[in-house]
Amino acid sequence: MKNKLLFILISTMIMMNNNACSSAAPKTGATVRPMAVAGKFYPADKNELCHDIANYFKHTASKQTSDDVQAVIVPHAGYVFSGEVAATAFAQIAPDKHYDHIFLLGPSHHVALNGASICNAFDYYATPLGDVKVDKDLCTQLIDNNECFTYRDSAHTQEHCLEVQLPFLQYRLKDVPPIIPIIIGTERLQTLREIAAALKPYFNSHNLFVISSDFSHYPSYGDALNVDKRTGDAVMSGSLEEFVNAIAKNDSLGIDNLATSACGQCAIAVLLMMAKDDNSLHINHLMYCNSGDSPYGGKNEVVGYHAFTMTRDTKFSLTKKEQQELLDIAHKSIMARIEGKSYEPRPSSDSVLNAKCGAFVTLTEGGHLRGCIGRFDASSPLYDVVTDMAQAAAFEDPRFYPVTADEMKNIDIEISVLTPLKRIHSIDEFHYGKQGIYIRKGNRSGTFLPQVVNEVNWTKEEFLGHCAQDKAGIGWEGWKDAELYTYEAIIIQ
């Protein structure tokens, strides 16, 4: 009986050869990865599986869902041990939330790798609830463009850590987007940094990252509580250094039977690396238990399970003082350029002006436009963006001559700080008059800021038509088959 329970338990040491419960059917001739652990880690019968998952979600009914879940950290043990913990994290995702992709990251339980293996060999992953599509093209692109990625069949064939997450996603989401299955087979920090750098362009509100990891393996129940608290607190800090130090501390204590503090520490480390210095992200701890809390587990040797979400705060605000500081930065940067001097604003390290945001700077003179330049890219601190865009609006807008020193006393500066872009799939999601629109089709794009609505007398459809035709250059009806994004702007004058 003990051996049977350990088999279900899932550890880093084990080696193993309609509606909410449905997914897309594979096309004829498509390749499908067969289920490796159905009937072992979770029920192989669809109805039984749906019933069990529904019960796990019942305990999360009072938990608040969020439209802004960027990542979850969830266990990959047998459902009888960790199903409720995993469901607690997945329940934070709004069921009708749309993601472009789901990136699944977990540790290799079967083979060692110099980096990570991305599975581009199958069109779909099978589960009892249906088949989940794989974006093979993106998987192949990541492999071709990054030395840290490869495809190793043996890393995926019998691997459970990603497979067990799929039924939860199928049950929770009305629309399960294509997945990117990634198995990490190294704990070398430099390689993990390369993996994080390769995935960072996709670490945004359009994609969900599922980090698969159990925590302490095989200490006693009491030791597990202490070990897992230390590791969990380090994850909550958001600091890679604190996370690495917590694991080292646990290792140094000589705790009986402690094999690891987190079997998916490599995947967690990649998440922390991608999230570094992003002030819009928040880590939330939701639940902890270990296998000793299950009627199927003992207390002598346990495995720990945490549930975390990483949420992205899309609500951005600036105080009057911060708004004035940005206006001062814009004015000083223009004057410095006129005078041939360098200018580098230095807000305090805890200032919100360090947040990474896009921004537009608009210059007017006597009520007439004198220059307007901006960017959506949110890879630089706001104060840097305003510095660069103010100078660009004054000296690089091709519609106007460069601003002169004599003009500056009559120039009014307006700054539009942009919230992150949000992909929409229907114009019903576009709040005309409150949000700006960004249209992209191929290599063409265009935008209207939210305040443009105050200058025109257009319907929503006319607003989109003018943006598509006049700004993106894709024709009056070009918006109908283009990518549409909305955003809001904090207007500073």
Side-chain angles (χ1 to χ4, degrees):
M1 183 66 177
K2 179 179 179 182
N3 289 338
K4 182 179 180 181
L5 293 178
L6 287 176
F7 180 76
I8 297 174
L9 189 56
I10 322 310
S11 74
T12 54
M13 305 300 177
I14 196 168
M15 304 294 284
M16 298 184 354
N17 289 312
N18 21 24
N19 47 34
C21 287
S22 65
S23 290
K27 297 178 181 178
T28 303
T31 56
V32 181
R33 177 194 180 272
M35 293 171 274
V37 294
K40 301 169 185 176
F41 291 79
Y42 56 87
D45 177 77
K46 174 181 177 178
N47 292 332
E48 183 182 354
L49 178 56
C50 277
H51 176 270
D52 286 357
I53 295 178
N55 281 334
Y56 300 138
F57 273 91
K58 278 183 182 178
H59 298 286
T60 69
S62 62
K63 304 285 186 180
Q64 183 178 3
T65 59
S66 171
D67 224 11
D68 304 308
V69 176
Q70 178 66 78
V72 295
I73 300 175
V74 283
H76 51 240
Y79 285 11
V80 296
F81 294 103
S82 65
E84 185 180 340
V85 180
T88 302
F90 287 115
Q92 302 308 302
I93 304 170
D96 57 354
K97 171 68 176 179
H98 175 86
Y99 292 104
D100 291 343
H101 296 91
I102 296 177
F103 287 75
L104 296 151
L105 282 68
S108 176
H109 290 81
H110 303 278
V111 298
L113 301 163
N114 291 329
S117 176
I118 301 182
C119 188
N120 67 342
F122 300 99
D123 297 295
Y124 295 86
Y125 267 52
T127 85
L129 306 187
D131 296 300
V132 180
K133 185 172 177 57
V134 179
D135 189 333
K136 288 178 62 176
D137 290 341
L138 181 53
C139 289
T140 301
Q141 179 183 324
L142 287 167
I143 293 170
D144 291 346
N145 294 341
N146 300 279
E147 292 184 1
C148 56
F149 293 137
T150 186
Y151 169 64
R152 181 86 66 84
D153 176 73
S154 56
H156 299 270
T157 305
Q158 296 299 319
E159 181 57 61
H160 62 274
C161 72
L162 306 186
E163 177 184 325
V164 299
Q165 312 303 343
L166 298 179
F168 285 105
L169 290 163
Q170 290 171 291
Y171 184 88
R172 184 60 178 172
L173 292 173
K174 293 179 181 178
D175 173 29
V176 180
I179 62 171
I180 310 296
I182 304 174
I183 295 295
I184 304 176
T186 179
E187 293 177 0
R188 184 171 176 265
L189 282 176
Q190 181 53 42
T191 305
L192 297 181
R193 288 191 177 93
E194 294 170 8
I195 294 171
L199 297 178
K200 182 67 179 289
Y202 305 94
F203 189 65
N204 54 49
S205 59
H206 308 308
N207 302 302
L208 174 68
F209 279 71
V210 175
I211 309 301
S212 182
S213 181
D214 296 337
F215 281 76
S216 66
H217 281 56
Y218 314 133
S220 67
Y221 186 94
D223 285 338
L225 297 179
N226 295 325
V227 167
D228 290 331
K229 185 180 188 308
R230 183 177 295 110
T231 312
D233 287 347
V235 172
M236 281 289 291
S237 75
S239 165
L240 175 66
E241 182 179 3
E242 289 195 31
F243 180 62
V244 171
N245 289 343
I247 291 172
K249 177 66 174 178
N250 289 337
D251 289 344
S252 73
L253 295 176
I255 297 170
D256 289 344
N257 295 326
L258 180 63
T260 181
S261 293
C263 62
Q265 59 187 268
C266 51
I268 297 171
V270 168
L271 176 67
L272 296 177
M273 291 172 180
M274 290 190 296
K276 184 180 180 183
D277 296 330
D278 190 335
N279 296 329
S280 70
L281 293 171
H282 307 280
I283 301 176
N284 315 286
H285 183 258
L286 303 172
M287 184 177 179
Y288 168 80
C289 76
N290 63 53
S291 58
D293 295 309
S294 166
Y296 300 98
K299 303 286 188 181
N300 292 331
E301 296 182 3
V302 305
V303 174
Y305 315 116
H306 279 291
F308 297 91
T309 59
M310 182 176 282
T311 53
R312 187 175 293 279
D313 183 7
T314 58
K315 303 300 182 183
F316 185 83
S317 62
L318 294 162
T319 66
K320 290 293 185 182
K321 181 179 178 181
E322 291 161 345
Q323 292 182 24
Q324 186 58 52
E325 188 174 356
L326 279 179
L327 289 171
D328 290 344
I329 287 173
H331 185 271
K332 289 177 180 178
S333 67
I334 295 172
M335 291 304 301
R337 178 85 166 263
I338 289 173
E339 297 168 1
K341 300 177 181 178
S342 62
Y343 174 64
E344 295 183 13
R346 298 188 180 280
S348 61
S349 60
D350 60 347
S351 171
V352 71
L353 303 190
N354 291 289
K356 296 179 179 179
C357 300
F360 276 68
V361 175
T362 302
L363 307 181
T364 57
E365 186 175 13
H368 300 288
L369 183 66
R370 189 63 179 82
C372 180
I373 299 286
R375 71 176 187 221
F376 289 98
D377 181 23
S379 62
S380 299
L382 176 57
Y383 70 86
D384 267 346
V385 174
V386 169
T387 299
D388 294 342
M389 294 306 100
Q391 293 186 352
F395 307 109
E396 297 166 23
D397 190 329
R399 298 170 294 180
F400 303 98
Y401 291 111
V403 168
T404 66
D406 289 339
E407 287 182 282
M408 279 303 293
K409 60 180 177 295
N410 298 317
I411 291 286
D412 292 314
I413 299 174
E414 177 182 282
I415 301 171
S416 300
V417 178
L418 309 183
T419 62
L421 293 175
K422 180 180 180 181
R423 177 79 180 272
I424 62 171
H425 299 270
S426 166
I427 63 170
D428 292 338
E429 300 176 69
F430 173 36
H431 300 294
Y432 182 51
K434 179 182 179 183
Q435 296 175 321
I437 194 74
Y438 175 69
I439 299 176
R440 183 171 67 194
K441 187 175 183 179
N443 61 357
R444 291 181 173 273
S445 63
T447 189
F448 275 144
L449 293 170
Q451 56 265 44
V452 170
V453 71
N454 300 321
E455 303 168 8
V456 298
N457 187 28
W458 298 333
T459 65
K460 180 190 291 189
E461 287 77 8
E462 288 172 336
F463 189 85
L464 293 166
H466 278 289
C467 187
Q469 176 179 274
D470 305 340
K471 293 294 186 177
I474 58 175
W476 183 261
E477 295 189 345
W479 62 269
K480 293 183 177 180
D481 60 352
E483 295 177 14
L484 302 179
Y485 298 86
T486 60
Y487 59 92
E488 295 183 26
I490 299 173
I491 311 301
I492 305 171
Q493 297 174 319

Short mmCIF file of all heavy atoms in Angstrom, two decimals, residues 202-239:
data_model
loop_
_atom_site.label_atom_id
_atom_site.label_comp_id
_atom_site.label_asym_id
_atom_site.label_seq_id
_atom_site.Cartn_x
_atom_site.Cartn_y
_atom_site.Cartn_z
N TYR A 202 7.28 37.50 -24.56
CA TYR A 202 5.92 36.95 -24.49
C TYR A 202 5.32 37.08 -23.10
O TYR A 202 4.16 36.71 -22.89
CB TYR A 202 5.95 35.47 -24.90
CG TYR A 202 6.59 35.25 -26.24
CD1 TYR A 202 7.95 34.95 -26.36
CD2 TYR A 202 5.85 35.39 -27.41
CE1 TYR A 202 8.54 34.77 -27.59
CE2 TYR A 202 6.43 35.21 -28.66
CZ TYR A 202 7.79 34.91 -28.74
OH TYR A 202 8.36 34.75 -29.98
N PHE A 203 6.09 37.63 -22.18
CA PHE A 203 5.64 37.74 -20.79
C PHE A 203 4.86 39.03 -20.66
O PHE A 203 5.36 40.05 -20.17
CB PHE A 203 6.85 37.70 -19.86
CG PHE A 203 6.49 37.59 -18.40
CD1 PHE A 203 5.86 36.47 -17.90
CD2 PHE A 203 6.78 38.62 -17.52
CE1 PHE A 203 5.54 36.36 -16.57
CE2 PHE A 203 6.47 38.53 -16.17
CZ PHE A 203 5.84 37.40 -15.69
N ASN A 204 3.63 39.01 -21.12
CA ASN A 204 2.77 40.19 -21.10
C ASN A 204 1.34 39.75 -20.91
O ASN A 204 1.04 38.56 -20.79
CB ASN A 204 2.95 41.00 -22.39
CG ASN A 204 2.74 40.15 -23.63
OD1 ASN A 204 1.75 39.43 -23.73
ND2 ASN A 204 3.67 40.23 -24.58
N SER A 205 0.44 40.70 -20.89
CA SER A 205 -0.94 40.41 -20.55
C SER A 205 -1.66 39.56 -21.60
O SER A 205 -2.75 39.07 -21.36
CB SER A 205 -1.72 41.72 -20.34
OG SER A 205 -1.68 42.51 -21.52
N HIS A 206 -1.04 39.36 -22.76
CA HIS A 206 -1.66 38.55 -23.80
C HIS A 206 -1.45 37.05 -23.60
O HIS A 206 -2.11 36.25 -24.27
CB HIS A 206 -1.12 38.95 -25.18
CG HIS A 206 -1.20 40.41 -25.45
ND1 HIS A 206 -2.36 41.12 -25.30
CD2 HIS A 206 -0.26 41.31 -25.83
CE1 HIS A 206 -2.14 42.40 -25.60
NE2 HIS A 206 -0.87 42.53 -25.91
N ASN A 207 -0.53 36.69 -22.72
CA ASN A 207 -0.19 35.28 -22.53
C ASN A 207 -0.23 34.92 -21.06
O ASN A 207 0.05 35.75 -20.19
CB ASN A 207 1.21 34.99 -23.08
CG ASN A 207 1.33 35.33 -24.55
OD1 ASN A 207 0.60 34.80 -25.38
ND2 ASN A 207 2.26 36.23 -24.88
N LEU A 208 -0.55 33.66 -20.78
CA LEU A 208 -0.55 33.13 -19.42
C LEU A 208 0.64 32.19 -19.26
O LEU A 208 0.90 31.36 -20.13
CB LEU A 208 -1.85 32.36 -19.14
CG LEU A 208 -1.93 31.63 -17.79
CD1 LEU A 208 -1.99 32.62 -16.64
CD2 LEU A 208 -3.14 30.70 -17.77
N PHE A 209 1.35 32.32 -18.14
CA PHE A 209 2.46 31.42 -17.82
C PHE A 209 2.04 30.52 -16.66
O PHE A 209 1.63 31.01 -15.60
CB PHE A 209 3.71 32.21 -17.47
CG PHE A 209 4.48 32.69 -18.67
CD1 PHE A 209 3.98 33.70 -19.47
CD2 PHE A 209 5.68 32.11 -19.02
CE1 PHE A 209 4.65 34.14 -20.59
CE2 PHE A 209 6.38 32.54 -20.14
CZ PHE A 209 5.86 33.55 -20.93
N VAL A 210 2.12 29.21 -16.87
CA VAL A 210 1.80 28.23 -15.84
C VAL A 210 3.11 27.58 -15.41
O VAL A 210 3.77 26.90 -16.20
CB VAL A 210 0.82 27.17 -16.37
CG1 VAL A 210 0.59 26.08 -15.32
CG2 VAL A 210 -0.50 27.81 -16.77
N ILE A 211 3.48 27.83 -14.15
CA ILE A 211 4.73 27.31 -13.60
C ILE A 211 4.39 26.11 -12.73
O ILE A 211 3.67 26.22 -11.73
CB ILE A 211 5.44 28.39 -12.76
CG1 ILE A 211 5.58 29.69 -13.56
CG2 ILE A 211 6.79 27.88 -12.27
CD1 ILE A 211 6.35 29.57 -14.85
N SER A 212 4.93 24.95 -13.10
CA SER A 212 4.57 23.70 -12.45
C SER A 212 5.65 23.29 -11.46
O SER A 212 6.79 23.03 -11.85
CB SER A 212 4.40 22.61 -13.52
OG SER A 212 4.01 21.39 -12.95
N SER A 213 5.29 23.25 -10.19
CA SER A 213 6.27 22.88 -9.17
C SER A 213 5.60 22.42 -7.88
O SER A 213 4.67 23.08 -7.39
CB SER A 213 7.19 24.07 -8.84
OG SER A 213 8.16 23.69 -7.87
N ASP A 214 6.06 21.28 -7.35
CA ASP A 214 5.80 20.95 -5.96
C ASP A 214 6.89 21.60 -5.13
O ASP A 214 7.85 22.16 -5.67
CB ASP A 214 5.82 19.43 -5.76
CG ASP A 214 4.72 18.73 -6.54
OD1 ASP A 214 3.71 19.38 -6.87
OD2 ASP A 214 4.87 17.52 -6.82
N PHE A 215 6.76 21.53 -3.81
CA PHE A 215 7.77 22.16 -2.96
C PHE A 215 8.54 21.09 -2.19
O PHE A 215 9.10 20.19 -2.82
CB PHE A 215 7.14 23.26 -2.11
CG PHE A 215 6.93 24.53 -2.91
CD1 PHE A 215 5.90 24.64 -3.83
CD2 PHE A 215 7.81 25.59 -2.81
CE1 PHE A 215 5.73 25.77 -4.62
CE2 PHE A 215 7.66 26.74 -3.59
CZ PHE A 215 6.61 26.83 -4.49
N SER A 216 8.62 21.14 -0.89
CA SER A 216 9.53 20.22 -0.19
C SER A 216 9.19 18.75 -0.49
O SER A 216 8.03 18.38 -0.62
CB SER A 216 9.46 20.46 1.32
OG SER A 216 8.18 20.11 1.82
N HIS A 217 10.24 17.95 -0.60
CA HIS A 217 10.08 16.52 -0.84
C HIS A 217 10.67 15.71 0.31
O HIS A 217 11.86 15.80 0.59
CB HIS A 217 10.77 16.12 -2.14
CG HIS A 217 9.97 16.45 -3.37
ND1 HIS A 217 9.53 17.70 -3.65
CD2 HIS A 217 9.54 15.66 -4.39
CE1 HIS A 217 8.87 17.70 -4.80
NE2 HIS A 217 8.86 16.46 -5.26
N TYR A 218 9.80 14.97 0.96
CA TYR A 218 10.11 13.87 1.88
C TYR A 218 10.55 14.22 3.30
O TYR A 218 10.95 13.33 4.03
CB TYR A 218 11.14 12.91 1.26
CG TYR A 218 10.80 12.55 -0.15
CD1 TYR A 218 11.77 12.60 -1.13
CD2 TYR A 218 9.51 12.19 -0.50
CE1 TYR A 218 11.47 12.27 -2.44
CE2 TYR A 218 9.19 11.88 -1.80
CZ TYR A 218 10.17 11.91 -2.77
OH TYR A 218 9.85 11.60 -4.06
N PRO A 219 10.52 15.49 3.75
CA PRO A 219 10.77 15.69 5.19
C PRO A 219 9.54 15.25 5.98
O PRO A 219 8.50 14.92 5.41
CB PRO A 219 10.98 17.20 5.30
CG PRO A 219 10.11 17.76 4.22
CD PRO A 219 10.19 16.77 3.08
N SER A 220 9.65 15.28 7.27
CA SER A 220 8.48 15.01 8.11
C SER A 220 7.48 16.16 7.98
O SER A 220 7.80 17.24 7.49
CB SER A 220 8.89 14.87 9.57
OG SER A 220 9.36 16.12 10.07
N TYR A 221 6.26 15.92 8.45
CA TYR A 221 5.19 16.91 8.34
C TYR A 221 5.61 18.24 8.98
O TYR A 221 5.49 19.31 8.38
CB TYR A 221 3.93 16.37 9.02
CG TYR A 221 2.72 17.25 8.86
CD1 TYR A 221 1.81 17.04 7.83
CD2 TYR A 221 2.47 18.30 9.75
CE1 TYR A 221 0.69 17.84 7.69
CE2 TYR A 221 1.35 19.11 9.61
CZ TYR A 221 0.47 18.88 8.58
OH TYR A 221 -0.64 19.68 8.43
N GLY A 222 6.15 18.18 10.21
CA GLY A 222 6.54 19.41 10.91
C GLY A 222 7.67 20.12 10.21
O GLY A 222 7.66 21.36 10.09
N ASP A 223 8.68 19.37 9.73
CA ASP A 223 9.79 20.01 9.02
C ASP A 223 9.31 20.64 7.71
O ASP A 223 9.79 21.71 7.31
CB ASP A 223 10.89 18.98 8.73
CG ASP A 223 11.71 18.62 9.96
OD1 ASP A 223 11.72 19.43 10.91
OD2 ASP A 223 12.34 17.54 9.97
N ALA A 224 8.36 19.99 7.06
CA ALA A 224 7.85 20.52 5.80
C ALA A 224 7.20 21.89 6.00
O ALA A 224 7.36 22.80 5.17
CB ALA A 224 6.85 19.56 5.18
N LEU A 225 6.47 22.05 7.11
CA LEU A 225 5.84 23.35 7.37
C LEU A 225 6.87 24.46 7.43
O LEU A 225 6.67 25.56 6.88
CB LEU A 225 5.05 23.29 8.68
CG LEU A 225 3.87 22.31 8.75
CD1 LEU A 225 3.23 22.36 10.14
CD2 LEU A 225 2.84 22.63 7.67
N ASN A 226 7.99 24.21 8.09
CA ASN A 226 9.04 25.22 8.22
C ASN A 226 9.76 25.46 6.90
O ASN A 226 10.00 26.61 6.50
CB ASN A 226 10.04 24.82 9.30
CG ASN A 226 9.41 24.78 10.68
OD1 ASN A 226 8.54 25.59 11.00
ND2 ASN A 226 9.85 23.84 11.52
N VAL A 227 10.12 24.38 6.24
CA VAL A 227 10.85 24.49 4.97
C VAL A 227 9.99 25.21 3.93
O VAL A 227 10.45 26.15 3.25
CB VAL A 227 11.25 23.09 4.46
CG1 VAL A 227 11.73 23.16 3.00
CG2 VAL A 227 12.34 22.50 5.34
N ASP A 228 8.75 24.79 3.80
CA ASP A 228 7.89 25.37 2.77
C ASP A 228 7.52 26.82 3.06
O ASP A 228 7.30 27.61 2.14
CB ASP A 228 6.64 24.52 2.60
CG ASP A 228 6.93 23.17 1.96
OD1 ASP A 228 7.89 23.10 1.17
OD2 ASP A 228 6.21 22.20 2.25
N LYS A 229 7.44 27.18 4.33
CA LYS A 229 7.18 28.59 4.66
C LYS A 229 8.36 29.46 4.23
O LYS A 229 8.18 30.54 3.66
CB LYS A 229 6.92 28.78 6.15
CG LYS A 229 6.53 30.24 6.50
CD LYS A 229 6.26 30.43 7.96
CE LYS A 229 5.70 31.83 8.23
NZ LYS A 229 6.50 32.92 7.65
N ARG A 230 9.57 28.98 4.51
CA ARG A 230 10.75 29.76 4.13
C ARG A 230 10.81 29.92 2.61
O ARG A 230 11.04 31.03 2.09
CB ARG A 230 12.02 29.07 4.65
CG ARG A 230 13.31 29.85 4.36
CD ARG A 230 14.53 29.17 4.96
NE ARG A 230 14.46 29.17 6.43
CZ ARG A 230 14.27 28.09 7.18
NH1 ARG A 230 14.11 26.91 6.61
NH2 ARG A 230 14.21 28.19 8.50
N THR A 231 10.60 28.85 1.89
CA THR A 231 10.64 28.92 0.43
C THR A 231 9.49 29.76 -0.11
O THR A 231 9.67 30.59 -1.02
CB THR A 231 10.58 27.51 -0.18
OG1 THR A 231 11.51 26.66 0.48
CG2 THR A 231 10.91 27.56 -1.66
N GLY A 232 8.29 29.58 0.45
CA GLY A 232 7.13 30.34 -0.01
C GLY A 232 7.29 31.83 0.23
O GLY A 232 6.92 32.65 -0.62
N ASP A 233 7.83 32.20 1.39
CA ASP A 233 8.07 33.62 1.68
C ASP A 233 9.05 34.22 0.68
O ASP A 233 8.91 35.39 0.28
CB ASP A 233 8.62 33.79 3.11
CG ASP A 233 7.56 33.56 4.17
OD1 ASP A 233 6.36 33.51 3.83
OD2 ASP A 233 7.93 33.42 5.36
N ALA A 234 10.04 33.42 0.27
CA ALA A 234 11.02 33.91 -0.70
C ALA A 234 10.37 34.13 -2.06
O ALA A 234 10.66 35.11 -2.75
CB ALA A 234 12.18 32.91 -0.82
N VAL A 235 9.47 33.23 -2.45
CA VAL A 235 8.74 33.43 -3.71
C VAL A 235 7.92 34.71 -3.62
O VAL A 235 7.89 35.52 -4.55
CB VAL A 235 7.83 32.22 -4.01
CG1 VAL A 235 6.93 32.51 -5.21
CG2 VAL A 235 8.66 30.97 -4.27
N MET A 236 7.25 34.92 -2.49
CA MET A 236 6.43 36.11 -2.30
C MET A 236 7.23 37.40 -2.42
O MET A 236 6.72 38.44 -2.82
CB MET A 236 5.74 36.05 -0.94
CG MET A 236 4.52 35.16 -0.91
SD MET A 236 3.14 35.87 -1.83
CE MET A 236 2.74 37.28 -0.78
N SER A 237 8.51 37.34 -2.06
CA SER A 237 9.35 38.54 -2.14
C SER A 237 9.58 38.99 -3.57
O SER A 237 9.90 40.16 -3.82
CB SER A 237 10.71 38.28 -1.46
OG SER A 237 11.53 37.46 -2.30
N GLY A 238 9.44 38.05 -4.50
CA GLY A 238 9.69 38.37 -5.90
C GLY A 238 11.16 38.48 -6.24
O GLY A 238 11.51 38.82 -7.38
N SER A 239 12.04 38.18 -5.29
CA SER A 239 13.48 38.33 -5.49
C SER A 239 14.12 36.98 -5.80
O SER A 239 14.00 36.04 -5.01
CB SER A 239 14.11 38.92 -4.23
OG SER A 239 15.52 38.77 -4.24
#
